[in-house]
Amino acid sequence: MDPIVVAAGTELVTAMVTDAWQSARDGVVALWRKARPEQVDVVDAELVEVREQVLEARRDGDADTEQALVGSWQLRLQQLLRADPSLAHEIKRVVDEVLTPALEPADQARVGSLMMKATASGRGRVYQAGRDQTINEK
């Protein structure tokens, strides 16, 4: 899955519980208006419904449901991107200018993305970590 889609889906669902929810919603609706205008009304209604589900999941401490909703929006955004790869720039703009600013600083740090890529040939080894790493070899 494209890293920008992972970030967008995560930040969208996280933004649903913030005071900036309306601007996050408007940003995603604008993305759909550009990509698939015939679906705008349906997507707008679904965003409202999903927000209620996220709020309920937070009240109930149901992290699994919240994560499932994140995954659902990541898949929808990935489908948009597959249908029109030129939307990557627009999705990134929505993330950078709308969704990320809607989050609290702690949430911004929590949902930030990290992309690492490594290759090895022959008998080479690659070790990567987002933080601490211990390697014990004999």
Side-chain angles (χ1 to χ4, degrees), residues 21-84:
W21 152 242
Q22 190 61 48
S23 67
R25 175 180 163 192
D26 291 347
V28 173
V29 167
L31 175 64
W32 247 265
R33 188 171 288 115
K34 186 173 191 167
R36 295 190 178 158
E38 72 282 0
Q39 296 178 357
V40 166
D41 292 337
V42 171
V43 167
D44 190 29
E46 288 175 353
L47 286 166
V48 172
E49 183 180 325
V50 169
R51 180 176 190 252
E52 291 304 317
Q53 293 172 336
V54 173
L55 290 169
E56 183 178 332
R58 287 269 176 115
R59 280 191 300 270
D60 296 344
D62 185 356
D64 291 339
T65 294
E66 187 171 345
Q67 192 57 46
L69 294 168
V70 166
S72 171
W73 279 96
Q74 288 171 339
L75 287 173
R76 292 185 76 165
L77 290 160
Q78 184 69 36
Q79 290 169 342
L80 275 185
L81 189 58
R82 279 192 184 132
D84 184 357

Side-chain angles (χ1 to χ4, degrees), residues 66 101 113 131:
E66 187 171 345
S113 64
R131 202 174 145 190

Side-chain angles (χ1 to χ4, degrees), residues 89-128:
H89 178 72
E90 185 63 18
I91 294 170
K92 181 162 178 23
R93 186 196 64 75
V94 170
V95 167
D96 292 343
E97 297 177 13
V98 179
L99 297 176
T100 300
L103 304 179
E104 298 293 326
D107 286 329
Q108 288 178 11
R110 183 178 61 83
V111 299
S113 64
L114 172 67
M115 181 187 302
M116 297 188 294
K117 182 178 177 181
T119 58
S121 61
R123 300 184 128 200
R125 291 187 178 152
V126 175
Y127 301 96
Q128 291 182 294

